[in-house]
Amino acid sequence: MTVLIRGTVVDAGGSPIEWASAWLAAGPAPTPDIAALTDADGRFTLTAPTPGMYRVGCRAEGYGPVEVPVDVGAEDVDVTVRLQSTAPPP
């Protein structure tokens, strides 16, 4: 059984980030190199091979990388990942 992790990558203000990378950083079993790029609305989809706790990593140019925990059960999961800009404040 596979379950989808659907996510949105946004900035601190909640605006979507296009072309961000999203991947399975860790899981309950070895995770293959599963990664995706976000679309114009900041959305991505990853496939979780088995239920359990995962860590989804995200990064984008100009933002610090982040990993968030995602609990995958029998149904698809939605997650929002917020990235912080690495640019110095004006």
Short mmCIF file of all heavy atoms in Angstrom, two decimals, residues 42 54 58 67 71 90:
data_model
loop_
_atom_site.label_atom_id
_atom_site.label_comp_id
_atom_site.label_asym_id
_atom_site.label_seq_id
_atom_site.Cartn_x
_atom_site.Cartn_y
_atom_site.Cartn_z
N GLY A 42 3.40 26.20 -5.41
CA GLY A 42 4.16 25.69 -4.28
C GLY A 42 3.81 24.26 -3.89
O GLY A 42 4.24 23.78 -2.85
N TYR A 54 7.50 9.91 8.99
CA TYR A 54 8.47 10.36 7.99
C TYR A 54 8.95 11.75 8.35
O TYR A 54 8.30 12.46 9.11
CB TYR A 54 7.84 10.40 6.59
CG TYR A 54 7.59 9.04 6.00
CD1 TYR A 54 6.46 8.32 6.32
CD2 TYR A 54 8.51 8.47 5.13
CE1 TYR A 54 6.23 7.06 5.79
CE2 TYR A 54 8.29 7.20 4.58
CZ TYR A 54 7.16 6.52 4.93
OH TYR A 54 6.95 5.27 4.40
N CYS A 58 12.61 20.09 2.78
CA CYS A 58 12.33 21.06 1.72
C CYS A 58 13.42 22.13 1.74
O CYS A 58 13.93 22.49 2.80
CB CYS A 58 10.98 21.73 1.92
SG CYS A 58 9.58 20.65 1.73
N GLU A 67 13.16 20.41 7.75
CA GLU A 67 12.55 19.08 7.74
C GLU A 67 11.38 19.10 8.70
O GLU A 67 11.48 19.67 9.79
CB GLU A 67 13.55 18.00 8.18
CG GLU A 67 14.65 17.75 7.17
CD GLU A 67 15.56 16.59 7.58
OE1 GLU A 67 15.26 15.89 8.57
OE2 GLU A 67 16.58 16.40 6.90
N ASP A 71 3.14 12.13 9.85
CA ASP A 71 2.64 10.82 10.28
C ASP A 71 1.76 10.26 9.16
O ASP A 71 0.68 10.80 8.89
CB ASP A 71 1.86 10.97 11.58
CG ASP A 71 1.50 9.63 12.19
OD1 ASP A 71 1.91 8.57 11.67
OD2 ASP A 71 0.78 9.63 13.21
N PRO A 90 15.90 44.16 5.32
CA PRO A 90 16.24 45.48 4.67
C PRO A 90 16.61 46.54 5.68
O PRO A 90 16.29 46.53 6.81
CB PRO A 90 14.96 45.84 3.93
CG PRO A 90 13.88 44.99 4.49
CD PRO A 90 14.54 43.82 5.18
#
